[in-house]
Amino acid sequence: DSTLEPGLLIKDMAAAAAAASPEDRPVKRARTADVTVPQGICSFYHVDDWYEQNKAQFAPPVCNKLMHKGQLNIMFVGGPNTRKDFHLEAGAEFFFQMRGRMELPTVQRGKRKLVKINEGQIFCLPPRIPHSPQRPMPGSFGLVIERCRQESEMDGLLYYTDFDNCDKVEWEKFFKCNDLGTDLPPVIKAYQEWKASDASKHELDIREENRPIQQDKETEVPPPFFLQDFLLANSEKLETGKSVPLLGNDHPDKEVIISAVGGPSQQPRQVCKYETWLYQIKGTAHVAVQGGTLALSEGCCCIVEPNVSFDVTRDVGSVGLVLQQQPQIAR
């Protein structure tokens, strides 16, 4: 039966989270543990098993864990976790909220706009839009994908005089970011020290035109949408093996390229200069590279490395996501 069952995308995640709640529960052996992964493919995991093995990382104060770090950064973030800073970066960010909900205050077209991302929803944030991820819900769990920084790019951390209004920047700092986990805390500490000092009594002379990255003040971002609704609306195409883009041509982000692909189908001789992330929602896909073939079963994901030729053969009734992120030169 190739009918897409409602709730299919998150039911396994919810079950895994419920099973993982007792801290003393033994960690089960990962379903991918004994699989030989061919050269050219890496970061092969079953998401539920990976969550179970790393569940301590998704509680405060850490609340996040990188699954893969390369040209793509594949990370998962838990809750509760809130912050007061806004992040400004040159690349796009892709969100898929697998369990619970999150909120994403943004500054779009110069005004604060709260984006609410509910369980099962997808959202793509274009580059150069200030944002402040808030995950107040305990036990929440979401995927975030972003690309690595280019050599010339810098990230910015902004604090507004009024977090709920965002009409005036109080303090900002731009920095080279190779690893948010290590590069961000010193910047936050610098703000806290400034805030506690007498220097904070005097208004800073902040000139946006001098920033190494210019904020996008023109774009209005389309709202989040339920992935399950998208798949159901396109079920006839997917059942005949079609590839359906998740973000339409009118979406303002031009970095993230993501499609849902159904089966039966074949996608032969694919080569990309960037990494390709594959995630299997339903059924099985077979990913073949020169060194062998990897069966990507339901709930599994992997990375195909840059400049590696690969074929994908998808079983009847299967559905998978394919994502690449190609850097765009900032306007």
Side-chain angles (χ1 to χ4, degrees), residues 118-290:
N118 295 312
E119 184 172 302
Q121 285 190 319
I122 274 177
F123 178 71
C124 186
L125 182 73
R128 302 181 293 112
I129 294 178
H131 55 284
S132 181
Q134 309 291 319
R135 295 176 172 85
M137 186 175 179
S140 62
F141 183 79
L143 166 70
V144 181
I145 297 179
E146 61 184 26
R147 62 168 173 81
C148 68
R149 277 55 168 175
Q150 302 293 289
E151 185 64 31
S152 61
E153 292 176 343
M154 297 186 74
D155 284 44
L157 209 64
L158 284 58
Y159 286 86
Y160 292 88
T161 54
D162 184 349
F163 179 80
D164 296 318
N165 196 5
C166 299
D167 58 350
K168 188 175 184 180
V169 176
E170 176 185 43
W171 185 94
E172 67 181 27
K173 185 176 179 63
F174 291 84
F175 58 101
K176 293 290 293 183
C177 183
N178 296 312
D179 186 332
L180 273 175
T182 57
D183 297 332
L184 192 59
V187 183
I188 296 174
K189 183 180 178 182
Y191 166 75
Q192 293 171 340
E193 291 175 348
W194 173 84
K195 190 69 174 174
S197 71
D198 290 339
S200 65
K201 298 176 182 179
H202 306 283
E203 184 176 321
L204 296 176
D205 182 18
I206 294 176
R207 301 184 182 183
E208 293 188 17
E209 64 270 19
N210 294 332
R211 290 174 172 173
I213 171 175
Q214 294 301 309
Q215 179 178 333
D216 181 347
K217 294 188 175 182
E218 301 176 358
T219 298
E220 186 169 354
V221 188
F225 62 92
F226 286 100
L227 178 57
Q228 187 68 29
D229 290 348
F230 177 89
L231 298 179
L232 289 170
N234 291 278
S235 59
E236 290 186 6
K237 294 179 181 178
L238 295 171
E239 288 167 5
T240 57
K242 297 292 194 300
S243 175
V244 187
L246 265 69
L247 307 177
N249 292 330
D250 57 345
H251 196 283
D253 177 60
K254 304 306 177 186
E255 286 203 347
V256 174
I257 302 171
I258 180 169
S259 298
V261 189
S265 65
Q266 292 184 333
Q267 295 82 47
R269 297 180 298 279
Q270 300 181 80
V271 181
C272 181
K273 65 183 294 187
Y274 303 106
E275 291 181 333
T276 301
W277 181 70
L278 303 174
Y279 174 59
Q280 197 62 18
I281 296 170
K282 182 183 179 184
T284 302
H286 306 271
V287 187
V289 293
Q290 186 175 6

